[in-house]
mmCIF file of all heavy atoms in Angstrom:
data_model
loop_
_atom_site.group_PDB
_atom_site.id
_atom_site.type_symbol
_atom_site.label_atom_id
_atom_site.label_comp_id
_atom_site.label_asym_id
_atom_site.label_seq_id
_atom_site.Cartn_x
_atom_site.Cartn_y
_atom_site.Cartn_z
ATOM 1 N N TRP A 985 76.944 92.890 83.054
ATOM 2 C CA TRP A 985 78.338 93.285 83.326
ATOM 3 C C TRP A 985 78.841 92.582 84.583
ATOM 4 O O TRP A 985 79.939 92.018 84.598
ATOM 5 C CB TRP A 985 78.384 94.807 83.490
ATOM 6 C CG TRP A 985 79.685 95.350 83.978
ATOM 7 C CD1 TRP A 985 80.757 95.695 83.227
ATOM 8 C CD2 TRP A 985 80.054 95.598 85.345
ATOM 9 N NE1 TRP A 985 81.784 96.153 84.040
ATOM 10 C CE2 TRP A 985 81.376 96.096 85.334
ATOM 11 C CE3 TRP A 985 79.403 95.457 86.570
ATOM 12 C CZ2 TRP A 985 82.055 96.446 86.504
ATOM 13 C CZ3 TRP A 985 80.069 95.794 87.735
ATOM 14 C CH2 TRP A 985 81.378 96.283 87.700
ATOM 15 N N PHE A 986 78.043 92.609 85.629
ATOM 16 C CA PHE A 986 78.440 92.025 86.914
ATOM 17 C C PHE A 986 78.509 90.500 86.850
ATOM 18 O O PHE A 986 79.449 89.881 87.357
ATOM 19 C CB PHE A 986 77.452 92.489 87.993
ATOM 20 C CG PHE A 986 77.691 91.899 89.353
ATOM 21 C CD1 PHE A 986 78.980 91.711 89.846
ATOM 22 C CD2 PHE A 986 76.619 91.537 90.159
ATOM 23 C CE1 PHE A 986 79.189 91.173 91.116
ATOM 24 C CE2 PHE A 986 76.824 91.000 91.421
ATOM 25 C CZ PHE A 986 78.108 90.810 91.893
ATOM 26 N N GLN A 987 77.529 89.879 86.204
ATOM 27 C CA GLN A 987 77.487 88.418 86.155
ATOM 28 C C GLN A 987 78.695 87.838 85.413
ATOM 29 O O GLN A 987 79.188 86.756 85.767
ATOM 30 C CB GLN A 987 76.185 87.940 85.498
ATOM 31 C CG GLN A 987 74.938 88.207 86.322
ATOM 32 C CD GLN A 987 74.990 87.551 87.688
ATOM 33 O OE1 GLN A 987 75.489 86.425 87.837
ATOM 34 N NE2 GLN A 987 74.479 88.231 88.705
ATOM 35 N N GLN A 988 79.189 88.540 84.417
ATOM 36 C CA GLN A 988 80.376 88.062 83.705
ATOM 37 C C GLN A 988 81.604 88.103 84.604
ATOM 38 O O GLN A 988 82.441 87.196 84.584
ATOM 39 C CB GLN A 988 80.597 88.889 82.441
ATOM 40 C CG GLN A 988 79.520 88.655 81.385
ATOM 41 C CD GLN A 988 79.809 89.407 80.104
ATOM 42 O OE1 GLN A 988 80.542 88.932 79.235
ATOM 43 N NE2 GLN A 988 79.235 90.578 79.971
ATOM 44 N N LEU A 989 81.720 89.150 85.397
ATOM 45 C CA LEU A 989 82.817 89.231 86.356
ATOM 46 C C LEU A 989 82.749 88.093 87.366
ATOM 47 O O LEU A 989 83.764 87.473 87.703
ATOM 48 C CB LEU A 989 82.772 90.578 87.082
ATOM 49 C CG LEU A 989 83.209 91.791 86.267
ATOM 50 C CD1 LEU A 989 82.745 93.081 86.923
ATOM 51 C CD2 LEU A 989 84.717 91.806 86.109
ATOM 52 N N LYS A 990 81.555 87.800 87.841
ATOM 53 C CA LYS A 990 81.379 86.706 88.808
ATOM 54 C C LYS A 990 81.842 85.381 88.215
ATOM 55 O O LYS A 990 82.476 84.575 88.896
ATOM 56 C CB LYS A 990 79.909 86.608 89.234
ATOM 57 C CG LYS A 990 79.467 87.666 90.219
ATOM 58 C CD LYS A 990 78.007 87.528 90.594
ATOM 59 C CE LYS A 990 77.745 86.296 91.450
ATOM 60 N NZ LYS A 990 76.348 86.239 91.922
ATOM 61 N N GLU A 991 81.515 85.157 86.952
ATOM 62 C CA GLU A 991 81.942 83.915 86.297
ATOM 63 C C GLU A 991 83.454 83.753 86.327
ATOM 64 O O GLU A 991 83.978 82.686 86.667
ATOM 65 C CB GLU A 991 81.496 83.913 84.824
ATOM 66 C CG GLU A 991 80.159 83.318 84.571
ATOM 67 C CD GLU A 991 79.930 83.066 83.092
ATOM 68 O OE1 GLU A 991 80.491 83.792 82.247
ATOM 69 O OE2 GLU A 991 79.176 82.136 82.778
ATOM 70 N N VAL A 992 84.153 84.811 85.954
ATOM 71 C CA VAL A 992 85.619 84.744 85.897
ATOM 72 C C VAL A 992 86.190 84.550 87.298
ATOM 73 O O VAL A 992 87.136 83.771 87.495
ATOM 74 C CB VAL A 992 86.189 86.011 85.225
ATOM 75 C CG1 VAL A 992 87.703 86.064 85.357
ATOM 76 C CG2 VAL A 992 85.782 86.037 83.750
ATOM 77 N N ILE A 993 85.646 85.233 88.276
ATOM 78 C CA ILE A 993 86.110 85.088 89.662
ATOM 79 C C ILE A 993 85.889 83.656 90.145
ATOM 80 O O ILE A 993 86.778 83.030 90.734
ATOM 81 C CB ILE A 993 85.381 86.092 90.574
ATOM 82 C CG1 ILE A 993 85.808 87.526 90.233
ATOM 83 C CG2 ILE A 993 85.668 85.796 92.051
ATOM 84 C CD1 ILE A 993 84.898 88.589 90.804
ATOM 85 N N ASP A 994 84.709 83.124 89.893
ATOM 86 C CA ASP A 994 84.367 81.770 90.360
ATOM 87 C C ASP A 994 85.198 80.698 89.669
ATOM 88 O O ASP A 994 85.624 79.719 90.293
ATOM 89 C CB ASP A 994 82.878 81.485 90.113
ATOM 90 C CG ASP A 994 81.965 82.318 90.999
ATOM 91 O OD1 ASP A 994 82.458 82.876 92.001
ATOM 92 O OD2 ASP A 994 80.769 82.415 90.684
ATOM 93 N N GLN A 995 85.434 80.861 88.375
ATOM 94 C CA GLN A 995 86.073 79.806 87.598
ATOM 95 C C GLN A 995 87.593 79.864 87.585
ATOM 96 O O GLN A 995 88.244 78.824 87.471
ATOM 97 C CB GLN A 995 85.542 79.849 86.153
ATOM 98 C CG GLN A 995 84.063 79.491 86.041
ATOM 99 C CD GLN A 995 83.468 79.725 84.664
ATOM 100 O OE1 GLN A 995 82.251 79.790 84.499
ATOM 101 N NE2 GLN A 995 84.307 79.845 83.648
ATOM 102 N N TYR A 996 88.164 81.083 87.734
ATOM 103 C CA TYR A 996 89.604 81.208 87.515
ATOM 104 C C TYR A 996 90.367 81.873 88.660
ATOM 105 O O TYR A 996 91.597 81.903 88.627
ATOM 106 C CB TYR A 996 89.873 81.971 86.210
ATOM 107 C CG TYR A 996 89.032 81.463 85.061
ATOM 108 C CD1 TYR A 996 88.010 82.235 84.527
ATOM 109 C CD2 TYR A 996 89.230 80.181 84.547
ATOM 110 C CE1 TYR A 996 87.215 81.765 83.484
ATOM 111 C CE2 TYR A 996 88.449 79.698 83.508
ATOM 112 C CZ TYR A 996 87.435 80.490 82.988
ATOM 113 O OH TYR A 996 86.648 80.012 81.972
ATOM 114 N N SER A 997 89.681 82.407 89.655
ATOM 115 C CA SER A 997 90.310 83.005 90.847
ATOM 116 C C SER A 997 91.473 83.946 90.498
ATOM 117 O O SER A 997 92.599 83.740 90.939
ATOM 118 C CB SER A 997 90.824 81.900 91.783
ATOM 119 O OG SER A 997 89.783 81.050 92.178
ATOM 120 N N PRO A 998 91.217 84.994 89.723
ATOM 121 C CA PRO A 998 92.308 85.912 89.381
ATOM 122 C C PRO A 998 92.845 86.636 90.615
ATOM 123 O O PRO A 998 92.099 86.943 91.547
ATOM 124 C CB PRO A 998 91.658 86.894 88.405
ATOM 125 C CG PRO A 998 90.194 86.855 88.732
ATOM 126 C CD PRO A 998 89.926 85.434 89.151
ATOM 127 N N ASP A 999 94.138 86.912 90.609
ATOM 128 C CA ASP A 999 94.767 87.652 91.700
ATOM 129 C C ASP A 999 94.610 89.157 91.517
ATOM 130 O O ASP A 999 94.715 89.915 92.478
ATOM 131 C CB ASP A 999 96.260 87.313 91.768
ATOM 132 C CG ASP A 999 96.485 85.834 92.034
ATOM 133 O OD1 ASP A 999 96.215 85.390 93.156
ATOM 134 O OD2 ASP A 999 96.904 85.122 91.095
ATOM 135 N N ILE A 1000 94.393 89.562 90.277
ATOM 136 C CA ILE A 1000 94.157 90.973 89.970
ATOM 137 C C ILE A 1000 92.974 91.065 89.011
ATOM 138 O O ILE A 1000 92.927 90.349 88.008
ATOM 139 C CB ILE A 1000 95.375 91.634 89.293
ATOM 140 C CG1 ILE A 1000 96.649 91.448 90.122
ATOM 141 C CG2 ILE A 1000 95.119 93.125 89.050
ATOM 142 C CD1 ILE A 1000 97.916 91.936 89.433
ATOM 143 N N VAL A 1001 92.032 91.933 89.330
ATOM 144 C CA VAL A 1001 90.985 92.307 88.380
ATOM 145 C C VAL A 1001 91.213 93.777 88.052
ATOM 146 O O VAL A 1001 91.195 94.635 88.933
ATOM 147 C CB VAL A 1001 89.576 92.088 88.953
ATOM 148 C CG1 VAL A 1001 88.522 92.710 88.037
ATOM 149 C CG2 VAL A 1001 89.291 90.595 89.122
ATOM 150 N N TRP A 1002 91.434 94.047 86.779
ATOM 151 C CA TRP A 1002 91.833 95.378 86.300
ATOM 152 C C TRP A 1002 90.743 95.925 85.389
ATOM 153 O O TRP A 1002 90.216 95.207 84.531
ATOM 154 C CB TRP A 1002 93.151 95.214 85.551
ATOM 155 C CG TRP A 1002 93.783 96.410 84.916
ATOM 156 C CD1 TRP A 1002 94.834 97.128 85.393
ATOM 157 C CD2 TRP A 1002 93.456 96.989 83.635
ATOM 158 N NE1 TRP A 1002 95.179 98.122 84.501
ATOM 159 C CE2 TRP A 1002 94.340 98.058 83.427
ATOM 160 C CE3 TRP A 1002 92.494 96.712 82.660
ATOM 161 C CZ2 TRP A 1002 94.301 98.843 82.270
ATOM 162 C CZ3 TRP A 1002 92.449 97.495 81.515
ATOM 163 C CH2 TRP A 1002 93.350 98.539 81.334
ATOM 164 N N PHE A 1003 90.411 97.192 85.579
ATOM 165 C CA PHE A 1003 89.359 97.812 84.773
ATOM 166 C C PHE A 1003 89.907 98.953 83.930
ATOM 167 O O PHE A 1003 90.682 99.787 84.408
ATOM 168 C CB PHE A 1003 88.253 98.372 85.671
ATOM 169 C CG PHE A 1003 87.446 97.321 86.366
ATOM 170 C CD1 PHE A 1003 87.627 97.081 87.720
ATOM 171 C CD2 PHE A 1003 86.505 96.568 85.676
ATOM 172 C CE1 PHE A 1003 86.887 96.115 88.378
ATOM 173 C CE2 PHE A 1003 85.759 95.588 86.327
ATOM 174 C CZ PHE A 1003 85.955 95.362 87.674
ATOM 175 N N ASP A 1004 89.450 98.996 82.693
ATOM 176 C CA ASP A 1004 89.754 100.123 81.827
ATOM 177 C C ASP A 1004 88.822 101.292 82.181
ATOM 178 O O ASP A 1004 87.941 101.169 83.021
ATOM 179 C CB ASP A 1004 89.560 99.704 80.364
ATOM 180 C CG ASP A 1004 90.237 100.648 79.387
ATOM 181 O OD1 ASP A 1004 90.961 101.563 79.829
ATOM 182 O OD2 ASP A 1004 90.036 100.477 78.166
ATOM 183 N N SER A 1005 89.006 102.405 81.483
ATOM 184 C CA SER A 1005 88.128 103.561 81.659
ATOM 185 C C SER A 1005 86.679 103.185 81.364
ATOM 186 O O SER A 1005 86.408 102.116 80.814
ATOM 187 C CB SER A 1005 88.549 104.687 80.713
ATOM 188 O OG SER A 1005 89.897 105.036 80.939
ATOM 189 N N TRP A 1006 85.791 104.083 81.714
ATOM 190 C CA TRP A 1006 84.340 103.927 81.561
ATOM 191 C C TRP A 1006 83.700 103.070 82.646
ATOM 192 O O TRP A 1006 82.503 102.829 82.615
ATOM 193 C CB TRP A 1006 83.949 103.398 80.180
ATOM 194 C CG TRP A 1006 84.232 104.362 79.086
ATOM 195 C CD1 TRP A 1006 83.500 105.469 78.749
ATOM 196 C CD2 TRP A 1006 85.337 104.340 78.183
ATOM 197 N NE1 TRP A 1006 84.083 106.138 77.710
ATOM 198 C CE2 TRP A 1006 85.215 105.467 77.331
ATOM 199 C CE3 TRP A 1006 86.405 103.487 78.007
ATOM 200 C CZ2 TRP A 1006 86.134 105.746 76.321
ATOM 201 C CZ3 TRP A 1006 87.321 103.773 77.009
ATOM 202 C CH2 TRP A 1006 87.183 104.882 76.176
ATOM 203 N N LEU A 1007 84.486 102.642 83.620
ATOM 204 C CA LEU A 1007 83.888 101.937 84.751
ATOM 205 C C LEU A 1007 82.900 102.844 85.481
ATOM 206 O O LEU A 1007 81.929 102.366 86.088
ATOM 207 C CB LEU A 1007 84.982 101.462 85.710
ATOM 208 C CG LEU A 1007 84.529 100.653 86.924
ATOM 209 C CD1 LEU A 1007 83.856 99.357 86.500
ATOM 210 C CD2 LEU A 1007 85.709 100.373 87.841
ATOM 211 N N ASN A 1008 83.128 104.152 85.410
ATOM 212 C CA ASN A 1008 82.217 105.105 86.066
ATOM 213 C C ASN A 1008 80.817 105.089 85.466
ATOM 214 O O ASN A 1008 79.859 105.592 86.082
ATOM 215 C CB ASN A 1008 82.794 106.526 85.978
ATOM 216 C CG ASN A 1008 82.898 107.008 84.539
ATOM 217 O OD1 ASN A 1008 83.492 106.346 83.691
ATOM 218 N ND2 ASN A 1008 82.337 108.172 84.253
ATOM 219 N N LEU A 1009 80.664 104.506 84.255
ATOM 220 C CA LEU A 1009 79.337 104.406 83.644
ATOM 221 C C LEU A 1009 78.481 103.320 84.283
ATOM 222 O O LEU A 1009 77.262 103.290 84.096
ATOM 223 C CB LEU A 1009 79.482 104.125 82.144
ATOM 224 C CG LEU A 1009 80.201 105.197 81.324
ATOM 225 C CD1 LEU A 1009 80.335 104.750 79.873
ATOM 226 C CD2 LEU A 1009 79.481 106.537 81.405
ATOM 227 N N ILE A 1010 79.127 102.427 85.018
ATOM 228 C CA ILE A 1010 78.393 101.377 85.741
ATOM 229 C C ILE A 1010 77.914 101.958 87.074
ATOM 230 O O ILE A 1010 78.700 102.559 87.805
ATOM 231 C CB ILE A 1010 79.303 100.155 85.990
ATOM 232 C CG1 ILE A 1010 79.825 99.598 84.662
ATOM 233 C CG2 ILE A 1010 78.553 99.082 86.778
ATOM 234 C CD1 ILE A 1010 78.769 99.094 83.712
ATOM 235 N N PRO A 1011 76.634 101.817 87.399
ATOM 236 C CA PRO A 1011 76.127 102.411 88.642
ATOM 237 C C PRO A 1011 76.931 101.972 89.866
ATOM 238 O O PRO A 1011 77.460 100.856 89.917
ATOM 239 C CB PRO A 1011 74.688 101.896 88.713
ATOM 240 C CG PRO A 1011 74.316 101.636 87.297
ATOM 241 C CD PRO A 1011 75.571 101.149 86.636
ATOM 242 N N GLU A 1012 77.018 102.864 90.816
ATOM 243 C CA GLU A 1012 77.784 102.624 92.036
ATOM 244 C C GLU A 1012 77.372 101.312 92.709
ATOM 245 O O GLU A 1012 78.222 100.557 93.195
ATOM 246 C CB GLU A 1012 77.571 103.801 92.981
ATOM 247 C CG GLU A 1012 78.390 103.755 94.247
ATOM 248 C CD GLU A 1012 78.200 105.004 95.085
ATOM 249 O OE1 GLU A 1012 77.119 105.141 95.692
ATOM 250 O OE2 GLU A 1012 79.113 105.846 95.109
ATOM 251 N N LYS A 1013 76.103 101.030 92.714
ATOM 252 C CA LYS A 1013 75.587 99.817 93.354
ATOM 253 C C LYS A 1013 76.257 98.566 92.789
ATOM 254 O O LYS A 1013 76.668 97.673 93.542
ATOM 255 C CB LYS A 1013 74.069 99.740 93.144
ATOM 256 C CG LYS A 1013 73.414 98.427 93.551
ATOM 257 C CD LYS A 1013 71.910 98.480 93.276
ATOM 258 C CE LYS A 1013 71.229 97.157 93.626
ATOM 259 N NZ LYS A 1013 71.590 96.086 92.681
ATOM 260 N N HIS A 1014 76.387 98.498 91.480
ATOM 261 C CA HIS A 1014 76.973 97.311 90.849
ATOM 262 C C HIS A 1014 78.486 97.245 91.075
ATOM 263 O O HIS A 1014 79.044 96.155 91.251
ATOM 264 C CB HIS A 1014 76.652 97.296 89.359
ATOM 265 C CG HIS A 1014 75.198 97.087 89.064
ATOM 266 N ND1 HIS A 1014 74.616 95.847 89.057
ATOM 267 C CD2 HIS A 1014 74.202 97.968 88.797
ATOM 268 C CE1 HIS A 1014 73.327 95.966 88.784
ATOM 269 N NE2 HIS A 1014 73.050 97.243 88.618
ATOM 270 N N ARG A 1015 79.135 98.397 91.081
ATOM 271 C CA ARG A 1015 80.572 98.413 91.374
ATOM 272 C C ARG A 1015 80.833 97.925 92.801
ATOM 273 O O ARG A 1015 81.780 97.177 93.057
ATOM 274 C CB ARG A 1015 81.140 99.820 91.181
ATOM 275 C CG ARG A 1015 81.359 100.204 89.728
ATOM 276 C CD ARG A 1015 81.886 101.608 89.592
ATOM 277 N NE ARG A 1015 80.827 102.596 89.669
ATOM 278 C CZ ARG A 1015 81.000 103.876 89.984
ATOM 279 N NH1 ARG A 1015 82.212 104.324 90.284
ATOM 280 N NH2 ARG A 1015 79.988 104.710 90.001
ATOM 281 N N GLN A 1016 79.989 98.345 93.716
ATOM 282 C CA GLN A 1016 80.137 97.916 95.109
ATOM 283 C C GLN A 1016 79.860 96.421 95.247
ATOM 284 O O GLN A 1016 80.572 95.707 95.970
ATOM 285 C CB GLN A 1016 79.190 98.716 96.003
ATOM 286 C CG GLN A 1016 79.571 100.173 96.144
ATOM 287 C CD GLN A 1016 78.499 100.984 96.849
ATOM 288 O OE1 GLN A 1016 77.304 100.709 96.733
ATOM 289 N NE2 GLN A 1016 78.918 102.015 97.572
ATOM 290 N N GLU A 1017 78.842 95.940 94.544
ATOM 291 C CA GLU A 1017 78.510 94.507 94.607
ATOM 292 C C GLU A 1017 79.653 93.667 94.040
ATOM 293 O O GLU A 1017 79.976 92.613 94.590
ATOM 294 C CB GLU A 1017 77.215 94.240 93.840
ATOM 295 C CG GLU A 1017 75.969 94.722 94.565
ATOM 296 C CD GLU A 1017 74.711 94.500 93.745
ATOM 297 O OE1 GLU A 1017 74.833 94.198 92.527
ATOM 298 O OE2 GLU A 1017 73.613 94.637 94.303
ATOM 299 N N PHE A 1018 80.244 94.128 92.936
ATOM 300 C CA PHE A 1018 81.395 93.414 92.383
ATOM 301 C C PHE A 1018 82.514 93.327 93.415
ATOM 302 O O PHE A 1018 83.068 92.258 93.674
ATOM 303 C CB PHE A 1018 81.925 94.089 91.120
ATOM 304 C CG PHE A 1018 83.409 93.905 90.965
ATOM 305 C CD1 PHE A 1018 83.936 92.680 90.579
ATOM 306 C CD2 PHE A 1018 84.301 94.927 91.303
ATOM 307 C CE1 PHE A 1018 85.309 92.472 90.503
ATOM 308 C CE2 PHE A 1018 85.669 94.733 91.232
ATOM 309 C CZ PHE A 1018 86.174 93.505 90.827
ATOM 310 N N ALA A 1019 82.900 94.481 93.970
ATOM 311 C CA ALA A 1019 84.045 94.528 94.891
ATOM 312 C C ALA A 1019 83.805 93.640 96.101
ATOM 313 O O ALA A 1019 84.702 92.896 96.529
ATOM 314 C CB ALA A 1019 84.321 95.966 95.311
ATOM 315 N N ALA A 1020 82.606 93.699 96.666
ATOM 316 C CA ALA A 1020 82.302 92.866 97.833
ATOM 317 C C ALA A 1020 82.365 91.390 97.468
ATOM 318 O O ALA A 1020 82.913 90.569 98.230
ATOM 319 C CB ALA A 1020 80.922 93.224 98.382
ATOM 320 N N TYR A 1021 81.837 91.038 96.312
ATOM 321 C CA TYR A 1021 81.853 89.631 95.896
ATOM 322 C C TYR A 1021 83.284 89.138 95.693
ATOM 323 O O TYR A 1021 83.674 88.075 96.192
ATOM 324 C CB TYR A 1021 81.060 89.454 94.602
ATOM 325 C CG TYR A 1021 80.894 88.002 94.212
ATOM 326 C CD1 TYR A 1021 79.896 87.224 94.796
ATOM 327 C CD2 TYR A 1021 81.749 87.398 93.298
ATOM 328 C CE1 TYR A 1021 79.760 85.873 94.466
ATOM 329 C CE2 TYR A 1021 81.623 86.060 92.969
ATOM 330 C CZ TYR A 1021 80.627 85.307 93.553
ATOM 331 O OH TYR A 1021 80.507 83.975 93.237
#
Side-chain angles (χ1 to χ4, degrees):
W985 171 87
F986 177 39
Q987 292 301 322
Q988 292 184 85
L989 286 163
K990 284 180 70 174
E991 269 193 331
V992 171
I993 292 165
D994 291 344
Q995 294 171 197
Y996 313 111
S997 302
D999 299 289
I1000 306 173
V1001 170
W1002 178 102
F1003 291 105
D1004 197 6
S1005 303
W1006 293 282
L1007 182 62
N1008 64 306
L1009 298 177
I1010 302 298
E1012 185 176 73
K1013 170 181 178 289
H1014 292 278
R1015 283 179 278 158
Q1016 291 171 328
E1017 286 177 347
F1018 149 74
Y1021 187 82

